Structures are given as structure tokens and as C-alpha cells.
């Protein structure tokens, strides 16, 4: 099952911290593992059951390990456009975008979500950002190094982050906060529930409709209890989160994305809007603009696999006797009913339908480059 192995590879041996909901997870029988510096719930009743519940109803994920940052100050938009390849100046209030931090050579340091705040959220900050938990301190250091003194960055370490995902997530959250029913995909806003201030975006990383909810850590148990008291909602662990995002064709930093790979090769060019492509001016822009013009040397692709044997991260990909790439994420896909994978292959072998082979513990298994997502996204967009 995808998830256990992937998570284990990132388990840290340093002393682990406790999430705000640590006792809440343990009281519900969660199996806890070390991930990104925290004790994290990997599963409750089983990854397969939790995966299916989220695809059919609504799953509650604790993603409080992720880094939450706010930015304010003079010319903050221009400063962030130096750091990020995305159009920040054109980002309207209560809207968010997927983006990345790039190094000077155009390698991906992290992927992230960036939002334009409004209504005085987070002490009147202008921009809110969520970065990966395993990279958040490196991200903060990189940003401190490259932001001007006039921009103030605040690491909101006292905020929890919950993700409610699944086709019944909208119905469930509206039972507590009716106003959230008006949000569409990639929209966000500030809401008050039982006196608690919540910043809610209609987004997530499972391919399902859903929400990410930032709130004071001290109030996380109150909200988690209220959500899981609803018939549509169950707590879900990291294992199912990994299989859900793989089926959705969404890359995972540290596996599918790293400083060794590029935005265009990763098929994330949508995060660089037209003006930024034309103007450049962001860290790493030379490689991005060159690959936009000439194409990347290799590409992130989806792979369907013949048989039941899953291909795990690190398995080598062949075209005949020629080594052409490597699997970066792989496992059994419950909604597909077969093993799937994601990997990087050289561009001449990246076309949809390309027949390939994957070496799994010395045995070659047949694979084929497939379109992603493997399971259709069900985001709630404007009709």
C-alpha cells in the first residue's frame, strides 16, 4: 500500500514534536509515526478503508506540521515576485495560487500555496503562505536571505491546519459554518465559528472538493470534535493522504519534486502566469525561460502498471535495455484497483502510451506512460 514506505523514508531520528491534536489522534486509536519532525497519524482503521471513505464521504486530515507564514510591509508583492515565479501582483483578495520556491539554477526548493488576505486576517497581513512541513525551516531561511528588510515575515507556529476533503466536505462544513458554501475552488476567507477565527480556503491535495482550515492551535480539538461528530466525517491518516494525492496526479515534495528537477519538466508550468513568463525577474527564471523555449530534458509522467506488483520510489525505468528514468512515487491505487506510479523519464520516452518496463527487485514489469490524474479531480468550480 502506498504511504507506509514513503512516509517511513522521511521519518526523522531527531526528537519529535507533538501536534496540537496529538492526544486527540491517540485517543482515536491512530498509529503514530515520525514525519517531518512530528508524531503524525498514519492510519486509524486502515489505509484502504480511509482512502475509500474520503473518496465517498469526507475525511479530516491533520496537516498542522506544515509551515504557515504571513507577509506584510512595503512593496511586499514585488518582493515575493522576486522569490516566486507566479503572478502575485495580480492575485486578488481572498484568492490563492499554487507556486514554488526556486533556487538560482531553477531547481525546486519547495512547492506551496500563496493567498491574498483581506478583512484584517492574521493581524492585517497582506499575504498568507503554506509550505511543506519537512522544508519549512529551510524555506524560512531562504526567504529571510532574499526578502528586503521592509517586508515582515511571520511564522505562525501557534496555528493548527486541518484539511477536510471529499465529496461531502462542503455539506459537512456548511453544517457548522453555512457561509462556507459560497466558496469556490481556490477561494478563501475569514470566518468566525463559536468565537474562533478561522481562515478557510476551498483547496486541498487529494483531488477532491474540500477545505484547508487554519485556526489557533488551542481551538483545534474543538473543531476536530465538531467535524467528526458529523455523519459525513472521519479522521484520516497520512497513509491515505498519500494514495489519494498519487491518484490525483499531484507531486509530493521530497519524492517527485526536489532541487534536482525543474518546474517545466515537472509539468507545473501552469503556476507561471503569462506576465511572469514574459518578464522573468524571479530567482531561477533563466532555466524556466530556456525550458519553455527548448523543452526540458526529462519530464514527470504517470505510469500504469500491468499486474498487481507495485513499483516503489527508486525503481528504475527502462525502454528496452536503455535506462530512461526512475519511479518517484508508486503504490496500489484503491480507486483504480491496480498499481500506479509517477516518475521522471527522458523526454523522448515521455509521450502518452509509451511502453516501458520497471525493474522491481530484479523483475521487469510492464508499464505505460498514462495521462494524469488517474482519478478525475472533483474541485468545486464556477459553473
Amino acid at each position: 500500500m502506498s504511504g507506509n514506505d514513503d512516509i517511513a523514508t522521511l521519518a526523522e531520528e531527531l526528537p519529535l514534536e507533538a501536534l496540537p491534536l496529538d492526544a486527540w489522534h491517540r485517543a482515536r486509536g491512530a498509529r503514530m509515526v515520525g514525519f517531518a519532525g512530528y508524531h503524525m497519524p498514519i492510519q486509524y482503521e486502515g489505509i484502504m478503508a480511509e482512502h475509500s471513505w474520503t473518496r465517498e464521504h469526507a475525511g479530516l486530515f491533520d496537516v498542522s506540521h506544515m509551515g504557515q507564514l504571513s507577509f506584510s510591509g512595503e512593496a511586499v508583492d514585488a518582493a515575493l515576485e522576486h522569490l516566486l515565479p507566479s503572478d502575485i501582483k495580480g492575485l486578488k483578495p481572498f484568492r490563492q495560487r499554487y507556486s514554488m520556491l526556486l533556487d538560482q539554477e531553477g531547481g525546486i526548493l519547495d512547492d506551496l500555496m500563496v493567498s491574498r488576505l483581506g478583512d484584517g486576517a492574521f493581524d492585517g497581513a497582506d499575504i498568507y503562505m503554506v509550505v511543506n512541513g519537512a522544508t519549512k525551516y529551510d524555506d524560512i531561511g531562504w526567504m529571510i536571505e532574499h526578502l528586503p528588510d521592509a517586508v515582515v515575515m511571520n511564522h505562525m507556529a501557534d496555528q493548527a491546519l486541518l484539511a477536510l476533503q471529499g465529496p461531502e466536505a462542503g455539506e459537512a462544513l456548511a453544517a457548522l459554518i453555512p457561509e462556507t458554501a459560497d466558496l469556490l475552488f481556490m477561494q478563501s476567507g475569514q470566518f468566525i465559528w463559536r468565537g474562533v477565527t478561522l481562515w478557510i480556503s476551498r483547496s486541498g491535495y487529494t483531488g477532491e472538493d474540500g477545505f484547508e482550515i487554519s485556526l489557533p492551535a488551542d481551538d483545534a480539538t474543538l473543531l476536530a470534535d465538531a467535524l467528526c461528530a458529523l455523519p459525513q466525517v472521519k479522521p484520516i491518516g497520512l497513509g491515505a493522504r498519500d494514495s489519494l494525492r498519487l491518484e490525483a496526479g499531484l507531486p509530493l515534495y521530497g519524492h517527485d519534486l526536489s532541487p534536482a528537477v525543474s518546474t517545466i519538466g515537472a509539468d507545473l508550468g501552469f503556476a507561471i502566469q503569462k506576465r511572469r513568463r514574459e518578464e522573468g525577474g524571479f530567482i531561477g527564471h533563466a532555466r524556466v525561460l530556456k525550458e519553455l523555449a527548448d523543452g526540458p530534458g526529462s519530464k514527470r509522467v504517470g505510469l500504469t502498471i500491468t499486474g498487481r506488483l507495485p513499483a516503489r520510489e527508486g525503481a528504475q525505468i527502462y525502454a528496452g535495455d536503455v535506462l530512461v528514468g526512475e519511479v518517484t512515487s508508486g503504490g496500489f491505487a484503491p480507486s483504480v484497483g491496480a498499481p500506479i506510479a509517477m516518475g521522471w523519464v527522458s523526454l523522448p520516452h515521455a509521450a502518452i502510451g509509451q511502453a516501458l518496463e520497471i525493474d522491481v527487485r530484479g523483475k521487469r514489469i510492464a508499464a505505460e506512460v498514462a495521462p494524469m490524474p488517474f482519478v478525475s479531480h472533483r474541485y468545486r468550480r464556477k459553473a
Side-chain angles (χ1 to χ4, degrees), residues 269-334:
F270 68 88
I272 309 175
Q273 287 73 35
K274 181 180 179 182
R275 179 176 65 81
R276 302 310 314 277
R277 294 181 179 214
E278 293 174 348
E279 297 178 1
F282 52 89
I283 293 175
H285 76 272
R287 180 179 182 180
V288 171
L289 301 186
K290 184 177 187 305
E291 291 190 355
L292 280 170
D294 302 336
S298 59
K299 185 178 178 183
R300 178 175 65 91
V301 299
L303 297 161
T304 53
I305 295 171
T306 301
R308 305 290 289 181
L309 189 63
R312 301 295 188 185
E313 181 179 357
Q316 295 183 322
I317 303 171
Y318 288 87
D321 293 330
V322 180
L323 178 63
V324 298
E326 182 175 298
V327 170
T328 51
S329 291
F332 187 79

Side-chain angles (χ1 to χ4, degrees), residues 30-381:
R31 177 188 162 204
M32 305 294 282
V33 300
F35 177 69
Y38 295 87
H39 295 284
M40 300 283 290
I42 191 168
Q43 63 177 332
Y44 295 84
E45 58 181 304
I47 294 173
M48 185 76 78
E50 292 168 34
H51 179 112
S52 297
W53 181 269
T54 305
R55 284 273 183 253
E56 296 168 6
H57 304 285
L60 183 66
F61 301 82
D62 184 358
V63 289
S64 299
H65 65 298
M66 301 185 80
Q68 299 184 66
L69 310 172
S70 67
F71 299 83
S72 57
E74 185 178 353
V76 63
D77 286 8
L80 288 176
E81 286 204 346
H82 176 60
L83 285 181
L84 309 176
S86 301
D87 180 359
I88 304 302
K89 294 176 182 175
L91 184 60
K92 297 179 181 179
F94 310 114
R95 298 292 189 274
Q96 67 177 172
R97 282 190 170 133
Y98 176 86
S99 191
M100 288 150 286
L101 274 181
L102 305 180
D103 64 20
Q104 302 287 2
E105 288 73 41
I108 301 174
L109 295 174
D110 199 6
D111 63 337
L112 55 91
M113 298 296 292
V114 58
S115 305
R116 172 82 64 190
L117 295 167
D119 285 354
F122 300 132
D123 296 324
D126 299 304
I127 297 289
Y128 168 68
M129 186 182 294
V130 178
V131 302
N132 279 296
T135 57
K136 62 185 176 185
Y137 293 113
D138 288 339
D139 292 351
I140 290 170
W142 177 264
M143 290 190 234
I144 288 174
E145 183 180 350
H146 292 91
L147 284 173
D149 293 340
V151 171
V152 176
M153 177 177 63
N154 178 33
H155 177 205
M156 299 184 291
D158 56 353
Q159 288 284 114
L161 188 65
L162 304 180
L164 183 66
Q165 301 282 292
E168 296 179 354
E171 176 188 352
L173 191 58
L176 301 184
I177 312 167
E179 298 85 356
T180 58
D182 295 331
L183 290 174
L184 298 174
F185 183 57
M186 302 299 269
Q187 294 183 348
S188 53
Q190 183 170 264
F191 300 84
I192 305 297
W193 171 76
R194 295 188 185 178
V196 180
T197 301
L198 312 173
W199 180 260
I200 300 176
S201 62
R202 196 151 199 160
S203 58
Y205 219 61
T206 63
E208 294 291 338
D209 180 27
F211 305 86
E212 292 194 344
I213 307 165
S214 175
L215 75 167
D218 290 344
D219 298 310
T221 298
L222 182 68
L223 180 61
D225 279 341
L227 287 169
C228 288
L230 298 169
Q232 304 95 335
V233 183
K234 285 185 176 182
I236 306 296
L238 283 177
R241 181 176 172 83
D242 192 58
S243 56
L244 289 160
R245 71 91 195 163
L246 177 60
E247 288 184 342
L250 301 172
L252 179 64
Y253 195 83
H255 298 266
D256 312 296
L257 306 179
S258 74
V261 304
S262 70
T263 302
I264 304 306
D267 199 23
L268 301 177
F270 68 88
I272 309 175
Q273 287 73 35
K274 181 180 179 182
R275 179 176 65 81
R276 302 310 314 277
R277 294 181 179 214
E278 293 174 348
E279 297 178 1
F282 52 89
I283 293 175
H285 76 272
R287 180 179 182 180
V288 171
L289 301 186
K290 184 177 187 305
E291 291 190 355
L292 280 170
D294 302 336
S298 59
K299 185 178 178 183
R300 178 175 65 91
V301 299
L303 297 161
T304 53
I305 295 171
T306 301
R308 305 290 289 181
L309 189 63
R312 301 295 188 185
E313 181 179 357
Q316 295 183 322
I317 303 171
Y318 288 87
D321 293 330
V322 180
L323 178 63
V324 298
E326 182 175 298
V327 170
T328 51
S329 291
F332 187 79
S335 305
V336 178
I340 58 173
M342 198 181 295
W344 282 78
V345 299
S346 57
L347 197 59
H349 302 92
I352 300 297
Q354 170 75 50
L356 298 169
E357 290 184 324
I358 303 175
D359 187 320
V360 179
R361 298 192 296 274
K363 179 181 179 181
R364 292 284 186 95
I365 58 175
E368 183 175 301
V369 176
M372 293 191 287
F374 298 96
V375 173
S376 298
H377 294 166
R378 295 198 282 188
Y379 305 136
R380 183 171 182 264
R381 301 180 187 273

